[in-house]
Amino acid sequence: MRCPNCNVELKAQAKFCPKCGTKIPEGQGAVSDAEGVVSEVKPEPSADTQAALPASAKTDSCSDTGEESGDVQDNRFSDPGPEDGESEAGPPKKAGGRRLLAGGLALLAAAGLGIGGSMYYKHAQEVKRKQELKEELSVLINGRDNLAEWANHEKEEFVRFLLTDEEKERLKEYWQDGSGLDPEDYENQILWVRTVMDYKTQVKGRADADAMSLLESLKSQDPGYASDEQKEKLADYAKKMEERISEGGYGELEPLAEEWKSYALAAAEKKTGYQVSVMQYDFTEYPTVRIYLDVRDEASGGLVKELSPNMFYISERDAGNGDYLNRAVQKAVLMNENERLNINLLADTSGSMDGGNMDAAKRVMSNFISTVQFSAGDQVKLTPFNSVIDKSGYFTGDPGVLNHMIRSYVPDGQTKLYDSIIYGVQDVSGQEGAKCVIAFTDGMDVGSYNSAQDVVDLVSRYHIPVFIVRIGDSSTSAEDSSLQRIAQASGGSFRNLSQFSSDMSSFYDQIYRQLKEYYVVEYEADGTMGITQDKEISIYIQNQDQGGETVMAANAGRELFDSLLGSYLRSYITDMNNHRYEQLARYVDHTVATDDTWSIQWQMKKQVTGGFSNVTQETLMEYHVTDVTVVDENTIHLRASESYDVLYDEVYGDLKGSSRTVAQDALEYLRIHQGYTELSDEAELRIWAVVTQIPEYVLKKGADGKWKFSKYAGDLALGERRKVYDVEVTWDPYY
């Protein structure tokens, strides 16, 4: 017959398939195979055949005379020894007679020896095979005395695997099958043992898989805000569980897992006690992100010091899908003596500062310069302002140069304080590192293009602290409330100089030291493809049993490219007013072909070195990014809105030919304000106008990882519009 499962041929009376272990139902152990061919049946030797065999070939009717275990007392091949009544020393038999007797016996038995010898040989083979199977079974059951003892041991082994209900039912069937086996049927016993062993391997595989799945799920638990000590304890739990699995202690896993989970939950719990505030952030080196934090003890209000990087936890939440991604903190240090601070120092040099106020401002600024940590990389830029903002300065770490400039200031003109604060914030925003603006002024704005609310709106967006110190008497100025709003919106403060002690120590402590006590935390964000997405950034700090958290919203692309655009445009203004291509070189892509007229390089070199030779002075008024489109990891399209205050000279006839609308606006202004009815084509005009543009730039990432302005992507006219607000006739032959 054949196995109903795998179709392998089976031996007669087989109870299990030797190949797949399938149990053969009772009654199907027939002696015929699938084709109906009768299997060989081993015949028992007849009595006549037994009588015909010599004594040494007889098998005692082929009965098994051994113990119940199946041992065979096989003496068929032993020496018969001396006969009764004869001693071994007796006279020798005659050889001839013995040979005659042997020959006669051979003749007498010749007729029956063919069948009887064959039967004897087969029986001997069966006995040998039976012994081999018995020995094989003994090895399988590890030398135990009997199958029942082995089965009892295996039942205890199976209990360790925490069997499922289905596994218990199947195993129950196996034990029932084993109880019905013939004690002498070693072949089926072997098949049954192997079947049980195979099932045990299968069950163990399932138990191991479940255990490893549990282990991996526990390992993947978010450690949250665990300390180093707690992380070591969590690692120890993992080691213990791995040991239990390797030892087969499956029953111990669940209690250990519950203990592990409970500890991990407690370790991940957020602590309180710290007040954490984001003071500013820096995307100028994106995807490197720097966040500047003020960390205070809630109870005492004092600065929390000696926090290490492993105590800071940062995650970014994508505003689009709500997913949080943990970020590895690469650095977290106090700024003091570790990180650069960029300070734009605004100096009011207006006429109202004449006398004691100017002297006081110079003294305060010089003393402040002496406290700056230039050795740590700090930089200061002086920006004097009155009716005009002096934008010619630069960030430097040389105190001698700065003090020389301070001593040269002479009070004159009006006080464009609001415009100066906006310029100072935008100017310092492009610097790498922490930033702030400090303004020394008598507090009375006169002549600014921007209002106090415009300043509040801008500083709120840049997150760069503005510290305003009003120099003068201790009385309250009408401007104080506006200056207070500006400072608070930026994260800075407003003070009257009279509020500080005579040695100015409190001034330095409140302004400069405050900035240097920030923690700068640095991490790597996603690459360019995610730069335009709004992000919610969570910062959590934990130090043993104390901690604190804050959340900030930011868009790296908007912040980065707005800052970069400002740096580029301010460099353009500097080069334009000086008529040399110098500052722009830091922001322009020089890998573009030199003769590509669409390139920023070609256009800027032409403009600043004489392309707009009639421009007397140009001032950047306002700018902002309107759209950022990511083309690939190294290419960005940036749309912007830009506004300039331009003073330029024109010939009226040329102006009519190049820009008829502006010519008409200029004549209309002269008619209303100065009574002109007409102008000759030769008339020379000085025009003040606000020029707006809406350019689209192509930016490329340079080899140094920084973004460079590469080409114009749209109309080279840049959508330019001019609004004339003042005109002066400098010469006209008709008048």
Side-chain angles (χ1 to χ4, degrees):
M1 67 172 293
R2 296 182 180 276
C3 173
N5 181 47
C6 66
N7 203 38
V8 72
E9 186 172 352
L10 304 174
K11 293 185 179 182
Q13 304 305 321
K15 293 188 176 183
F16 296 93
C17 175
K19 181 178 181 181
C20 66
T22 299
K23 179 182 176 184
I24 307 303
E26 294 184 8
Q28 294 187 18
V31 297
S32 61
D33 59 19
E35 287 75 21
V37 178
V38 178
S39 301
E40 178 183 1
V41 179
K42 299 177 181 179
E44 293 291 332
S46 65
D48 293 338
T49 303
Q50 282 284 326
L53 290 173
S56 61
K58 291 182 180 180
T59 60
D60 296 327
S61 299
C62 298
S63 63
D64 187 348
T65 59
E67 300 294 330
E68 287 186 4
S69 63
D71 289 340
V72 177
Q73 303 297 325
D74 191 355
N75 297 317
R76 288 169 296 182
F77 300 101
S78 61
D79 186 13
E83 296 183 9
D84 292 342
E86 290 187 358
S87 66
E88 292 186 3
K93 303 289 184 179
K94 292 184 179 180
R98 189 176 293 276
R99 286 194 297 270
L100 181 61
L101 177 60
L105 290 173
L107 289 173
L108 290 174
L113 279 179
I115 296 174
S118 175
M119 295 282 290
Y120 166 75
Y121 177 77
K122 289 182 179 179
H123 179 71
Q125 290 296 101
E126 289 176 1
V127 171
K128 181 181 179 182
R129 175 60 178 161
K130 191 173 185 179
Q131 184 63 28
E132 289 174 348
L133 291 173
K134 181 181 178 182
E135 292 172 355
E136 182 179 348
L137 177 63
S138 178
V139 172
L140 282 175
I141 64 176
N142 299 319
R144 286 180 170 79
D145 292 339
N146 54 63
L147 202 59
E149 182 182 338
W150 175 84
N152 288 333
H153 175 268
E154 290 303 304
K155 288 178 181 179
E156 294 177 0
E157 283 285 294
F158 272 101
V159 171
R160 291 191 301 112
F161 301 128
L162 305 178
L163 299 174
T164 65
D165 290 342
E166 183 180 350
E167 289 170 339
K168 290 177 181 177
E169 287 300 317
R170 187 170 179 184
L171 192 60
K172 182 179 180 181
E173 293 178 5
Y174 283 134
W175 300 137
Q176 290 173 349
D177 293 339
S179 65
L181 289 173
D182 184 347
E184 300 296 314
D185 188 354
Y186 298 119
E187 187 167 13
N188 274 319
Q189 289 182 53
I190 288 171
L191 288 175
W192 179 76
V193 168
R194 286 179 173 165
T195 301
V196 174
M197 291 174 68
D198 287 344
Y199 189 60
K200 180 180 178 181
T201 300
Q202 177 183 334
V203 171
K204 184 178 185 303
R206 190 274 307 159
D208 283 339
D210 289 350
M212 293 306 296
S213 177
L214 176 62
L215 175 62
E216 292 305 315
S217 68
L218 291 169
K219 280 184 175 181
S220 65
Q221 292 178 109
D222 184 359
Y225 313 103
S227 65
D228 288 344
E229 181 180 355
Q230 290 171 322
K231 288 177 181 177
E232 289 180 6
K233 178 82 172 185
L234 292 171
D236 187 54
Y237 274 113
K239 183 179 179 181
K240 286 181 180 178
M241 181 163 281
E242 289 169 350
E243 290 173 351
R244 300 293 188 279
I245 294 173
S246 66
E247 295 167 356
Y250 305 101
E252 302 173 40
L253 299 184
E254 195 60 36
L256 182 60
E258 289 302 318
E259 183 181 335
W260 185 353
K261 288 178 185 176
S262 177
Y263 186 84
L265 186 63
E269 183 182 358
K270 290 182 178 179
K271 307 295 190 298
T272 59
Y274 290 160
Q275 181 178 351
V276 183
S277 304
V278 174
M279 305 310 295
Q280 57 184 276
Y281 42 78
D282 180 9
F283 293 105
T284 58
E285 300 295 312
Y286 190 89
T288 298
V289 177
R290 297 183 188 91
I291 301 176
Y292 297 87
L293 302 172
D294 184 66
V295 185
R296 303 277 168 177
D297 184 280
E298 288 184 345
S300 67
L303 176 72
V304 177
K305 298 183 178 180
E306 299 179 357
L307 295 175
S308 57
N310 64 345
M311 298 176 183
F312 290 78
Y313 302 87
I314 291 183
S315 59
E316 286 187 344
R317 180 185 183 188
D318 190 315
N321 56 31
D323 291 340
Y324 270 101
L325 292 176
N326 292 330
R327 301 300 186 193
V329 174
Q330 297 176 325
K331 181 171 68 175
V333 296
L334 276 172
M335 282 186 56
N336 189 38
E337 299 290 354
N338 288 295
E339 286 288 319
R340 173 192 295 179
L341 174 63
N342 301 279
I343 306 168
N344 205 336
L345 204 57
L346 309 182
D348 184 350
T349 61
S350 64
S352 59
M353 292 286 290
D354 195 9
N357 286 350
M358 191 76 256
D359 292 338
K362 288 182 178 182
R363 182 175 63 256
V364 170
M365 288 187 288
S366 292
N367 288 340
F368 182 80
I369 294 299
S370 68
T371 69
V372 175
Q373 294 178 349
F374 293 111
S375 60
D378 290 0
Q379 297 187 115
V380 176
K381 176 181 178 180
L382 287 168
T383 303
F385 66 93
N386 44 43
S387 298
V388 176
I389 303 171
D390 184 351
K391 303 172 182 178
S392 62
Y394 53 89
F395 287 91
T396 178
D398 188 339
V401 171
L402 295 167
N403 281 312
H404 177 74
M405 293 175 64
I406 290 172
R407 289 193 295 269
S408 69
Y409 293 157
V410 176
D412 184 44
Q414 296 179 330
T415 311
K416 284 193 172 183
L417 175 59
Y418 297 157
D419 289 353
S420 297
I421 293 175
I422 287 179
Y423 170 79
V425 169
Q426 292 181 329
D427 186 42
V428 78
S429 69
Q431 296 298 116
E432 178 185 343
K435 315 160 184 70
C436 74
V437 172
I438 302 176
F440 296 95
T441 178
D442 62 7
M444 299 294 292
D445 179 87
V446 179
S448 282
Y449 176 82
N450 293 279
S451 67
Q453 187 59 48
D454 292 333
V455 182
V456 169
D457 293 342
L458 183 131
V459 299
S460 300
R461 181 159 55 93
Y462 275 88
H463 301 283
I464 295 175
V466 177
F467 300 93
I468 304 174
V469 178
R470 187 163 74 83
I471 297 175
D473 57 44
S474 59
S475 61
T476 301
S477 167
E479 298 286 328
D480 283 2
S481 60
S482 296
L483 299 182
Q484 184 75 44
R485 284 199 304 130
I486 292 170
Q488 288 181 344
S490 71
S493 62
F494 168 72
R495 294 286 188 275
N496 191 303
L497 187 61
S498 62
Q499 295 176 272
F500 299 109
S501 61
S502 59
D503 63 359
M504 301 299 292
S505 60
S506 59
F507 171 76
Y508 304 138
D509 182 62
Q510 292 183 38
I511 297 180
Y512 183 67
R513 292 300 171 187
Q514 174 184 331
L515 295 170
K516 298 297 283 189
E517 288 176 346
Y518 293 163
Y519 277 93
V520 55
V521 182
E522 185 175 298
Y523 71 95
E524 292 293 312
D526 292 329
T528 303
M529 302 311 293
I531 197 171
T532 60
Q533 297 175 348
D534 291 327
K535 299 287 186 181
E536 185 178 275
I537 303 173
S538 171
I539 305 103
Y540 175 72
I541 302 170
Q542 179 171 304
N543 183 10
Q544 296 181 354
D545 60 345
Q546 284 190 291
E549 183 180 24
T550 188
V551 177
M552 59 172 278
N555 184 299
R558 183 177 61 243
E559 302 287 344
L560 169 61
F561 294 115
D562 197 70
S563 173
L564 185 60
L565 177 64
S567 298
Y568 164 76
L569 294 178
R570 285 187 292 275
S571 296
Y572 162 74
I573 293 296
T574 299
D575 283 357
M576 189 70 188
N577 291 331
N578 294 331
H579 300 293
R580 60 174 181 265
Y581 181 76
E582 183 176 84
Q583 297 295 319
L584 278 166
R586 295 179 295 170
Y587 303 101
V588 172
D589 176 15
H590 296 106
T591 65
V592 184
T594 56
D595 60 348
D596 186 342
T597 58
W598 284 80
S599 73
I600 303 297
Q601 177 183 219
W602 193 93
Q603 290 287 337
M604 291 298 100
K605 281 184 177 180
K606 175 185 176 182
Q607 291 182 27
V608 304
T609 58
F612 295 141
S613 57
N614 63 326
V615 175
T616 301
Q617 186 178 24
E618 187 168 356
T619 302
L620 178 64
M621 300 298 293
E622 192 275 336
Y623 64 89
H624 63 274
V625 174
T626 59
D627 184 65
V628 177
T629 302
V630 178
V631 178
D632 56 48
E633 287 286 351
N634 300 304
T635 309
I636 292 287
H637 279 210
L638 184 152
R639 293 187 181 91
S641 173
E642 302 166 4
S643 177
Y644 304 88
D645 187 2
V646 183
L647 172 61
Y648 58 98
D649 297 321
E650 291 279 6
V651 175
Y652 183 64
D654 296 339
L655 186 59
K656 288 193 298 182
S658 62
S659 180
R660 180 169 295 277
T661 301
V662 175
Q664 292 174 346
D665 290 344
L667 183 58
E668 180 66 12
Y669 181 91
L670 289 171
R671 184 187 68 79
I672 295 173
H673 294 88
Q674 300 182 27
Y676 282 86
T677 56
E678 61 178 338
L679 294 170
S680 67
D681 287 347
E682 292 80 14
E684 296 177 0
L685 307 177
R686 174 155 289 183
I687 300 175
W688 287 262
V690 174
V691 178
T692 58
Q693 297 176 342
I694 49 173
E696 181 176 353
Y697 303 100
V698 177
L699 275 65
K700 291 284 187 179
K701 186 182 291 184
D704 58 358
K706 298 182 183 297
W707 291 96
K708 309 287 185 180
F709 287 80
S710 184
K711 301 179 71 172
Y712 285 109
D715 184 5
L716 285 176
L718 310 181
E720 181 180 299
R721 292 181 298 168
R722 299 190 183 194
K723 181 179 180 181
V724 176
Y725 68 87
D726 196 2
V727 182
E728 178 184 332
V729 179
T730 57
W731 181 80
D732 189 335
Y734 289 150
Y735 293 93

